[in-house]
Amino acid sequence: RTSELNLMAIYLPPEIFKAYDIRGIVGKTLTPEVCRSVGQALGSLARERGQTAIAVGRDGRLSGPELAGALMQGIVSTGTDAIDVGCVPTPLTYFAAYELGCHSCVSVTGSHNPPDYNGLKMVIGGETLALDAIQQLKARIEAGDLLTGNGTIRTADVRDAYVAKIVGDVKLSRPMKIVMDCGNGVAGGIAPALFRKLGCELVELFCEVDGNFPNHHPDPSKPENLQDVIRALKETDAEIGLAFDGDGDRLGVVTKDGEIIFPDRQLMLFAADVLSRVPGGEIIYDVKCTRLLAPFIRERGGKPTMWQTGHALIKKKLKETGAPLAGEMSGHVFFKERWYGFDDGLYTGARLLEILSRSDDPSAVLKALPNATSTPELNIKMAEGEPFALLDELKASARFTDAEEVISIDGLRVEYKDGFGLARPSNTTPVVVLRFEADNPAALARIQDDFRRVLRIARPKLELPF
C-alpha cells in the first residue's frame, strides 16, 4: 500500500464525483491525472474483492483515448490487469465484463453531455458503483489507501461476440425498414451492422462516429434531437425510427407519423412481452414514469414496483429482486430475461423490433399503448445543494390539496385521483426535476396549480418553468 501520498498530491474536484458516475469537463475538472488516480482506487478495490482484471471501453469522444490510457495506467499500477476493449458503446463494455469473465469494467463516456465533457461509469465485481461507493473512491485516493503491483494491459475485441449473441437471441418475424439515428455517437460503429444482421434495411442518419457531434446532440430524450428521424420517416418508406444516445445505452423511438413513444410507454410493450414468458414477474420503473404503467402491468399478471431514478440504483434494485425487466423515463431499459440486466439501447431496439415485426403496422401497435396528458421533464435551476434542501423542507411541511398518496422514495411524487405531480432533486445537476401527468388538460392545470402554491410558500422568489 502507498499510505504516504506522493508529494504532488492530486486535487480531486468534488463536483465530478456524481451519484451514478464520475463526470467532468475535460482538461479542467476531469484530467488524465484524475483518471489515473481513479484507476488506482478502482484497481485496489478490485483486488480487495478478489478480482484480477478490469475491462475498459470508451465512447467516441476526442478525449477518450488519452483518458482511458491514463485510467488503465492507474489500474495496472495496483497489480490489477486492464483489458482495453476499444471504442465501443457502454453496453458493450458491460458485456465485456461477462464475456471475458472479469466481472469488472469501466466505460469512459460523457454519455449525452456536450463534447467537452467526459466521465467514468464503473462496475467492480458485478456491482455498479453509485452514491457512497463513488464517494469512497475519492476518500481512498485522498488518503493514499492504494495498492501497488504490476498489472498488464492487453486488448480484446468483443464486438463480434456481442453481435452474435444478440442475433442468436432476437428473431424478427419479417424484414423491416427502419430509420436509425446514432447522433454521431459511438453506437454508429456497431448498430448499423447489428440491425442489418437482424434483417433490417436501414436509412442511416449520422452513423459516423464523431466526438464533435456536428449534427445534433446525441440525446434522444429531448424531442428536438428526434426531428431528423421524424423528417426521414416522412420522406422515406421506413416503418419506424430508432435513435441512440451518445454512448448507446439509451433508445429513442418514433412512429411513422412522427409520434415520439417515450420510454415509459415502451416499457408497457416490453412488460407485456416479458410477462407472457415470466408469469407474475416483477417490473421495476422509476418515479418519473406514467401512472398508467402499474395498472397495465397488474392486468397482465405482473408485479409493478416504483423505484428511485438513476441507472445504477435501478440496476441494484433489479439485482436485489431478481426482476426480469426494469426501465426508466430517461430511456435506460434493463432486460434480465434473455439478457444480462444492464441498460443497453441497442439490445432494447432489437427487442422492440422483435415485437413490432409480428405486426404489419408497427406504428399502430405503439400508438395503441395507453397514453395520458403530460408534460416533458421540467427543471428548476438552483445553486449546488439547494434542490435537496428544498425537497427536505417540502417533505416536512408541504400540504397538497386532495392528494390520495404522497410517495417520498425519491423527492415527492403526489398521486391525485386523476393524475400526479413529481418534484425531485436531480443527482447529476443542481436542478429540481418536475413532471406532471393527468387524465385531461384541466386536471393537469389543477395539479400544477397545487405544486405552484406549495413551491411559492417554500421559495417565493423561485422562477418556475410552468
Side-chain angles (χ1 to χ4, degrees):
R1 279 178 191 273
T2 59
S3 52
E4 71 296 324
L5 252 183
N6 57 19
L7 296 172
M8 294 167 56
I10 171 130
Y11 172 66
L12 299 172
E15 68 272 19
I16 70 172
F17 292 85
K18 308 281 189 191
Y20 325 124
D21 52 26
I22 289 171
R23 205 180 312 159
I25 299 168
V26 175
K28 289 184 182 160
T29 55
L30 191 72
T31 62
E33 294 72 35
V34 168
C35 286
R36 188 178 192 283
S37 58
V38 172
Q40 289 177 287
L42 290 169
S44 302
L45 180 63
R47 267 184 66 189
E48 285 168 4
R49 294 191 180 177
Q51 309 297 313
T52 57
I54 300 175
V56 176
R58 57 185 161 80
D59 71 13
R61 286 163 191 268
L62 308 181
S63 56
E66 186 183 15
L67 297 181
L71 177 81
M72 289 190 279
Q73 290 298 333
I75 290 169
V76 298
S77 75
T78 66
T80 303
D81 291 345
I83 310 171
D84 183 356
V85 297
C87 182
V88 293
T90 294
L92 264 89
T93 306
Y94 297 151
F95 173 78
Y98 288 93
E99 182 67 13
L100 303 173
C102 58
H103 312 295
S104 301
C105 63
V106 183
S107 182
V108 179
T109 174
S111 186
H112 59 281
N113 281 65
D116 54 338
Y117 278 76
N118 214 325
L120 309 170
K121 292 180 179 176
M122 302 161 288
V123 178
I124 299 292
E127 182 208 341
T128 301
L129 301 189
L131 304 174
D132 289 350
I134 291 179
Q135 293 305 321
Q136 282 158 15
L137 287 178
K138 177 174 179 285
R140 176 167 208 154
I141 297 163
E142 288 172 337
D145 179 14
L146 305 164
L147 302 181
T148 54
N150 292 302
T152 58
I153 297 177
R154 61 184 190 273
T155 60
D157 190 339
V158 296
R159 281 176 289 205
D160 289 349
Y162 174 83
V163 169
K165 187 95 180 168
I166 295 180
V167 172
D169 172 62
V170 175
K171 300 294 177 216
L172 270 56
S173 301
R174 62 177 178 83
M176 293 182 74
K177 184 168 181 180
I178 64 170
V179 173
M180 176 180 289
D181 183 345
C182 294
N184 298 112
V186 71
I190 191 166
L194 167 64
F195 282 81
R196 284 198 176 93
K197 278 216 163 93
L198 287 168
C200 295
E201 190 185 332
L202 301 187
V203 176
E204 286 185 39
L205 302 177
F206 320 128
C207 292
E208 315 70 41
V209 181
D210 182 343
N212 294 307
F213 309 127
N215 294 290
H216 64 72
H217 210 53
D219 182 2
S221 68
K222 302 266 189 288
E224 62 267 26
N225 298 323
L226 294 171
Q227 296 311 308
D228 292 304
V229 174
I230 291 169
R231 197 175 309 116
L233 284 163
K234 209 174 271 174
E235 292 167 359
T236 67
D237 59 346
E239 309 174 66
I240 209 87
L242 304 183
F244 301 109
D245 79 332
D247 68 333
D249 61 6
R250 297 187 298 137
L251 174 73
V253 178
V254 183
T255 63
K256 178 68 179 164
D257 64 356
E259 184 184 338
I260 297 165
I261 305 296
F262 285 103
D264 51 356
R265 290 176 76 207
Q266 295 170 32
L267 202 54
M268 294 175 180
L269 197 66
F270 296 135
D273 180 56
V274 167
L275 290 169
S276 70
R277 291 179 298 276
V278 187
E282 185 172 355
I283 313 290
I284 297 164
Y285 58 95
D286 78 323
V287 293
K288 292 197 268 186
C289 287
T290 173
R291 67 196 190 105
L292 304 177
L293 192 50
F296 185 94
I297 292 164
R298 275 192 212 101
E299 280 159 22
R300 282 148 190 83
K303 180 191 169 195
T305 298
M306 186 189 291
W307 197 239
Q308 296 156 300
T309 292
H311 69 91
L313 307 181
I314 296 266
K315 254 179 278 203
K316 199 172 177 188
K317 189 70 173 168
L318 189 77
K319 210 171 173 181
E320 221 173 83
T321 58
L325 175 69
E328 51 175 2
M329 191 66 201
S330 63
H332 293 275
V333 178
F334 313 77
F335 285 95
K336 188 72 179 119
E337 189 242 6
R338 294 166 45 188
W339 201 238
Y340 298 93
F342 55 71
D343 37 338
D344 185 340
L346 283 69
Y347 182 75
T348 300
R351 287 283 290 257
L352 179 78
L353 296 186
E354 181 179 70
I355 299 166
L356 295 179
S357 67
R358 298 171 198 150
S359 161
D360 290 337
D361 188 350
S363 289
V365 174
L366 291 169
K367 290 172 82 70
L369 295 166
N371 205 2
T373 304
S374 68
T375 65
E377 195 176 288
L378 306 168
N379 292 333
I380 304 174
K381 291 191 175 76
M382 299 182 80
E384 200 69 58
E386 279 186 8
F388 287 92
L390 173 58
L391 262 298
D392 286 344
E393 223 172 284
L394 293 179
K395 280 181 189 179
S397 62
R399 296 290 167 265
F400 293 90
T401 315
D402 302 328
E404 297 204 330
E405 188 187 2
V406 177
I407 299 162
S408 57
I409 52 168
D410 184 356
L412 282 175
R413 175 166 163 146
V414 183
E415 300 279 348
Y416 301 83
K417 65 179 188 303
D418 50 3
F420 80 86
L422 170 75
R424 60 173 290 276
S426 165
N427 278 311
T428 49
T429 47
V431 301
V432 174
V433 176
L434 302 162
R435 188 156 191 260
F436 301 96
E437 177 182 285
D439 292 348
N440 54 61
L444 191 75
R446 192 194 77 248
I447 292 168
Q448 288 186 317
D449 283 344
D450 202 23
F451 266 71
R452 197 178 290 114
R453 176 184 59 79
V454 162
L455 288 164
R456 285 263 181 267
I457 292 169
R459 296 282 188 282
K461 292 190 174 134
L462 213 53
E463 260 187 60
L464 300 180
F466 66 97

